[in-house]
Amino acid sequence: MGIPLRLLMVEDSEDDAALLLRELKRGGYDVTYQRVDTATDMLSALYSQNWDIVISDHSMPHFTGIEALHVLRSKGSQLPFIFVSGTIGEETAVTALKNGAQDYLMKTNLGRLIPAIQRELREAEQRQERERLEHQVQQLHKFETIGRLAGGIAHDFNNVIGAILGWAELCSQETQPGTQLHDRIHKIMQQADRAAALTSQLLSFARRQFLQPKRIDLNMHVLQCVSLLRRVIGENITITVQTARDLHVALADPSQMDQVLMNLCLNARDAMPDGGKLVLETKNIEITEKYCRLFPYAQPGSHVVLSVTDTGTGMDAETIEQIFEPFFTTKELGKGTGLGLATVYGIVKQHGGFINVQSEPAKGTTFEIYLPASSGMAEPREAHGEEKPRKGNETILLAEDHEGLRQSAQEMLQALGYHILLAADGMDAVQLFKANSDTVDLVVLDVVMPGLSGPETYAQMVSIRDSLKVVFTTGYTSEAASLTSMIERGAGFFQKPYGQRSLGLKVREILDRTLAPALESGSDGRL
């Protein structure tokens, strides 16, 4: 079997065409070809299928080789173009090369044909590879730009939503259940929760979520997800699970992985309105250096792969280019936010993984999620109940630069019995702490504040009293990796927006916790 070659031949002579084909066969090529000798036929051939190379005569009665070259290049095609002629002169050949031809040969000297084709096919492949890599870089830059914008918007919105949630929760406690006012306040809280979910999705896309990774068994997550999916996905969709028995553990945030699974599966459900099959599969795979050269966003090493396959409507290449952009959706107006796949993209990238998508219209879609494999045993999942926050009477120094959130957080904590010292920024907080260092039991610090950041503020405080307990809060954080070490040593952290319940539970948890020796010895001020 020869090397496959798709050849578009611009030639009016059947004999000369046969001569070229014989030479190509002798050179080891298995040629699929079409011969044309008019501009109309050439355009039709270019639109009908993909070609590897164009070989053209120069002088023909009704259509010249230069015209053929112009037709090809005016269409935007970069296909290799080689003149093979019996009449072309040196001056004409130079003009042809300037106009975009790759080479020219005389029909009396076809010995150069095979080397010329080999060279041009090789250079065309290298050119395509460069264009593909450039396109990937452009896509990454576009996502980075959109991500920064989305993260900034979500950060500002989280402060506003947090204030709304806090005051609404306080109002709810002061109204009689069953009254119209109580119901309206609960509707405000529900809408604030929806807004918080949207900003959380934006932060996920922007890779600004604070991750709390654990060694997880992805098989267990898939099985738990399926048990929930069967209740919401519809009886007309068959779910099949194929888990690898020897699957490695992955170092990932369990709740974020649940979100990835649910978003992909619900997206698959929406792609199968008339029913179909949904297949969830896990496996181990080793990413090689060769693979990384083809896909620069990949990292070499052992990976755990989760694939979600549906038999739905599928997507064309143009749609695939846009599916991870925030607010892009193919669904009807009002049927989706366009944030589901953007969220998946951000979560996977923040975990150091990557995504491959395979899809064709009417042939379904497969999403493959690659996560770096870890070692050791999977950690058990924590149970989350509906525990109510316990009251206290300790003194808490609260530093928050957003006025609305600062006031609502103060009222929420005071309603739980705590005595509150209020600071508008880090420098104000340090001065307050110096004046009350013996009475402050806990500091609650926003991570990002003007002047001194939360961690910098805490560093100055522990230089005064090294046993100080702390809770960091943030709308988003780019310092997540460095905060992790402080959390492991006993610091508290939770994500904005928050209501009284989550704030009260976290404050009580840290107040009741025994500090790790490393945190008691002080902080060097680095995150």
Side-chain angles (χ1 to χ4, degrees):
M1 191 69 178
I3 302 169
L5 180 69
R6 296 168 298 184
L7 167 65
L8 179 56
M9 190 185 305
V10 186
E11 175 62 70
D12 64 323
S13 169
E14 290 189 11
D15 291 340
D16 287 350
L19 187 66
L20 282 172
L21 292 171
R22 187 163 58 248
E23 193 69 26
L24 289 168
K25 186 175 181 180
R26 190 181 301 160
Y29 288 101
D30 180 15
V31 183
T32 300
Y33 79 99
Q34 183 174 341
R35 184 175 67 86
V36 298
D37 58 7
T38 69
T40 301
D41 289 345
M42 183 175 180
L43 275 172
S44 177
L46 289 171
Y47 282 114
S48 65
Q49 75 171 83
N50 295 322
W51 303 98
D52 296 317
I53 197 166
V54 178
I55 296 179
S56 176
D57 194 359
H58 179 259
S59 299
M60 293 172 285
H62 308 293
F63 189 44
T64 69
I66 294 295
E67 289 171 337
L69 177 60
H70 177 71
V71 167
L72 182 70
R73 296 299 180 238
S74 65
K75 187 177 176 290
S77 173
Q78 297 300 314
L79 277 176
F81 189 105
I82 297 178
F83 278 111
V84 177
S85 175
T87 59
I88 193 170
E90 184 175 338
E91 184 177 337
T92 305
V94 170
T95 301
L97 293 175
K98 288 181 178 179
N99 288 333
Q102 271 68 40
D103 205 346
Y104 70 92
L105 292 77
M106 302 303 293
K107 289 183 178 179
T108 55
N109 182 21
L110 292 181
R112 248 184 7 102
L113 178 63
I114 300 303
I117 287 177
Q118 291 173 338
R119 180 191 68 243
E120 295 310 325
L121 291 177
R122 184 171 58 252
E123 290 184 0
E125 183 179 357
Q126 292 170 349
R127 192 161 53 246
Q128 290 170 359
E129 176 65 13
R130 284 195 301 272
E131 290 173 354
R132 190 180 63 80
L133 292 176
E134 288 171 2
H135 178 70
Q136 288 180 349
V137 170
Q138 289 170 358
Q139 284 291 94
L140 288 174
H141 285 166
K142 179 175 73 174
F143 281 126
E144 286 294 332
T145 301
I146 297 173
R148 284 194 295 271
L149 175 63
I153 291 171
H155 172 258
D156 292 338
F157 279 178
N158 269 338
N159 285 329
V160 176
I161 295 166
I164 294 171
L165 270 175
W167 276 318
E169 196 169 338
L170 289 170
C171 287
S172 175
Q173 295 170 10
E174 295 173 1
T175 56
Q176 187 67 30
T179 63
Q180 189 178 57
L181 179 59
H182 187 85
D183 291 343
R184 285 174 175 172
I185 291 171
H186 264 268
K187 287 177 181 177
I188 293 173
M189 292 169 63
Q190 288 169 359
Q191 293 304 309
D193 284 335
R194 287 187 62 185
L198 290 175
T199 57
S200 176
Q201 288 178 305
L202 282 172
L203 287 172
S204 293
F205 170 77
R207 286 175 272 169
R208 299 291 194 271
Q209 288 282 46
F210 185 83
L211 300 182
Q212 299 186 57
K214 299 180 181 294
R215 292 188 300 276
I216 66 168
D217 178 358
L218 207 54
N219 283 344
M220 187 62 64
H221 280 258
V222 169
L223 294 172
Q224 290 174 347
C225 178
V226 168
S227 66
L228 175 62
L229 276 172
R230 293 193 193 279
R231 298 196 292 270
V232 298
I233 209 164
E235 296 180 358
N236 59 347
I237 295 176
T238 303
I239 304 175
T240 303
V241 178
Q242 301 171 359
T243 55
R245 296 181 62 182
D246 59 345
L247 192 69
H248 299 313
V249 297
L251 192 63
D253 186 309
S255 63
Q256 297 286 303
M257 285 301 105
D258 287 344
Q259 192 170 359
V260 166
L261 265 166
M262 290 300 294
N263 282 350
L264 288 177
C265 291
L266 294 178
N267 191 70
R269 177 201 63 184
D270 294 341
M272 298 183 287
D274 299 321
K277 296 180 180 179
L278 175 63
V279 180
L280 306 181
E281 184 180 3
T282 61
K283 61 183 177 181
N284 298 316
I285 194 167
E286 191 74 22
I287 300 296
T288 63
E289 294 284 355
K290 180 180 179 181
Y291 185 93
C292 294
R293 286 194 292 272
L294 294 174
F295 302 97
Y297 51 77
Q299 294 292 327
S302 298
H303 284 69
V304 179
V305 181
L306 164 68
S307 64
V308 178
T309 302
D310 66 65
T311 57
T313 53
M315 298 175 286
D316 57 24
E318 184 178 351
T319 302
I320 292 174
E321 286 287 313
Q322 298 176 273
I323 55 174
F324 295 120
E325 296 179 13
F327 307 114
F328 175 80
T329 179
T330 58
K331 299 171 187 176
E332 297 175 25
L333 187 65
K335 292 293 182 67
T337 62
L339 286 172
L341 291 179
T343 301
V344 170
Y345 172 87
I347 291 172
V348 173
K349 293 292 287 184
Q350 194 171 358
H351 279 83
F354 61 96
I355 307 173
N356 278 343
V357 185
Q358 300 167 19
S359 186
E360 290 184 47
K363 293 187 178 180
T365 302
T366 296
F367 286 90
E368 290 182 325
I369 307 299
Y370 290 74
L371 297 172
S374 186
S375 57
M377 300 293 292
E379 300 175 59
R381 298 203 64 170
E382 296 179 3
H384 296 284
E386 290 298 319
E387 179 187 357
K388 292 184 178 180
R390 291 183 289 116
K391 294 189 174 185
N393 57 8
E394 290 92 341
T395 297
I396 299 174
L397 194 161
L398 170 66
E400 167 61 58
D401 64 307
H402 187 275
E403 182 180 4
L405 184 56
R406 182 170 66 248
Q407 292 174 356
S408 69
Q410 177 188 21
E411 290 188 31
M412 285 188 284
L413 290 172
Q414 285 176 337
L416 291 172
Y418 298 106
H419 176 61
I420 306 301
L421 301 176
L422 216 54
D425 55 44
M427 290 180 284
D428 187 16
V430 170
Q431 294 305 315
L432 264 176
F433 182 74
K434 286 180 178 178
N436 300 274
S437 60
D438 293 335
T439 59
V440 172
D441 299 292
L442 173 73
V443 291
V444 177
L445 305 174
D446 187 13
V447 172
V448 181
M449 292 186 292
L452 290 177
S453 71
E456 290 168 341
T457 300
Y458 180 65
Q460 292 197 23
M461 290 176 174
V462 293
S463 68
I464 300 169
R465 202 181 93 206
D466 61 10
S467 61
L468 182 63
K469 296 179 179 180
V470 62
V471 173
F472 291 109
T473 72
T474 186
Y476 80 93
T477 179
S478 56
E479 302 92 350
S482 47
L483 269 178
T484 301
S485 62
M486 299 186 74
I487 292 169
E488 289 173 347
R489 293 179 303 183
F493 172 89
F494 69 119
Q495 191 99 22
K496 297 177 185 178
Y498 50 79
Q500 187 186 46
R501 178 181 174 277
S502 57
L503 177 61
L505 286 173
K506 179 57 67 173
V507 162
R508 193 68 258 164
E509 174 195 338
I510 301 304
L511 282 169
D512 294 342
R513 180 186 295 175
T514 301
L515 280 180
L519 197 64
E520 287 182 353
S521 63
S523 167
D524 57 8
R526 291 176 297 172
L527 283 183

